[in-house]
Every structure is written in C-alpha cells, then in structure tokens.
C-alpha cells in the first residue's frame, strides 16, 4: 500500500491569504467605481427624468449605493 502525504507549508498558505486580500481590494474598488458611475449618471438626470424612475433628488446617493453594493 502506498501513502502520499501532502503538506501545506506556511508559505503556501500565506500566498493564498495574500491573493485573497488582493482580490478583496480589487472587488471593493470595482464596487466603488460602479457606485461613482451610477451616482454621476443619476446626478446628470433632470428632475422629470428622476421622477419617471421614481427617485427624488435626495435619494440619489442611497439609490446609487444600493445599486452598487446591494445594501
């Protein structure tokens, strides 16, 4: 019978942690970029267009935040 043992060294785990951290930062940046883009597009609309969407001017930031971050 043959046994194969695979050992994860601390260095391999560290590489995975760093990759996960980089991915998380990139994801947050993409979310923030989507928020800013949505915010700017909504701010460019006039009051009538916003009313057609059911959004008041005071709700623009909250609407953009919900669209980008889903919260």
């Amino acid at each position: 019978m043959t046994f194969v043992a695979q050992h994860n060294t601390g260095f391999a785990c560290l590489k995975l942690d760093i990759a996960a951290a980089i991915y998380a930062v990139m994801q947050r940046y993409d979310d923030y970029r989507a928020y800013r883009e949505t915010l700017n597009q909504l701010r460019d609309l006039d009051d009538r267009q916003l009313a057609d969407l059911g959004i008041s001017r005071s709700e623009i930031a909250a609407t953009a935040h919900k669209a980008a971050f889903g919260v």
Side-chain angles (χ1 to χ4, degrees):
M1 204 182 248
T2 304
F3 291 99
V4 176
Q6 181 179 2
H7 299 283
N8 288 333
T9 63
F11 183 69
C13 292
L14 179 63
K15 287 183 1 185
L16 291 176
D17 289 343
I18 291 172
I22 290 171
Y23 177 78
V25 168
M26 290 172 50
Q27 185 64 44
R28 289 184 61 90
Y29 176 74
D30 286 344
D31 290 346
Y32 179 73
R33 201 168 43 107
Y35 166 74
R36 293 298 303 175
E37 184 176 334
T38 304
L39 186 68
N40 290 332
Q41 288 176 356
L42 288 174
R43 283 181 176 166
D44 288 342
L45 298 176
D46 62 26
D47 290 335
R48 183 174 179 176
Q49 291 170 322
L50 287 171
D52 287 343
L53 295 173
I55 302 170
S56 68
R57 192 148 299 274
S58 63
E59 297 173 324
I60 288 176
T63 303
H65 189 276
K66 187 175 183 179
F69 300 109
V71 177

